[in-house]
Amino acid sequence: MKRAILTTTLAAAAVLAVAPAASAGTVHEICAQDLYVRTQPAGVIIGTLYRGDHFELSRYSPSGDWAEGYAMGHVNQRGWIQAGWFC
């Protein structure tokens, strides 16, 4: 039993260590030439952000590969973008 709890705890800690810390409400500028906004990580495309547009970050996916928040510019809705494209 203790071994199962320890394994679960270590797995959870590894997931938390991978995902970057998100500051809710932090607004970031997009540095990619263009960046799709999606309904969920790797989901349906609902818009495109362009270099210089802004994204209000809410959180990162557990893997740290995706960021969820409010896409400003002409998208003007919540969605997910690939992480790593902030200036």
Side-chain angles (χ1 to χ4, degrees):
M1 179 70 172
K2 288 182 182 179
R3 186 175 197 187
I5 292 172
L6 178 59
T7 302
T8 303
T9 303
L10 291 174
V15 168
L16 292 175
V18 172
S23 269
T26 304
V27 176
H28 296 276
E29 184 176 346
I30 300 299
C31 281
Q33 186 68 32
D34 49 44
L35 184 64
Y36 291 133
V37 180
R38 299 173 181 267
T39 56
Q40 61 188 16
V44 175
I45 297 168
I46 56 175
T48 306
L49 290 171
Y50 297 96
R51 182 173 297 175
D53 284 346
H54 292 90
F55 186 82
E56 185 176 353
L57 177 65
S58 294
R59 65 188 175 112
Y60 285 99
S61 64
S63 68
D65 293 338
W66 296 90
E68 191 265 338
Y70 189 81
M72 298 177 191
H74 54 285
V75 178
N76 285 324
Q77 61 182 318
R78 296 194 69 75
W80 290 84
I81 61 171
Q82 284 185 318
W85 293 103
F86 299 136
C87 295

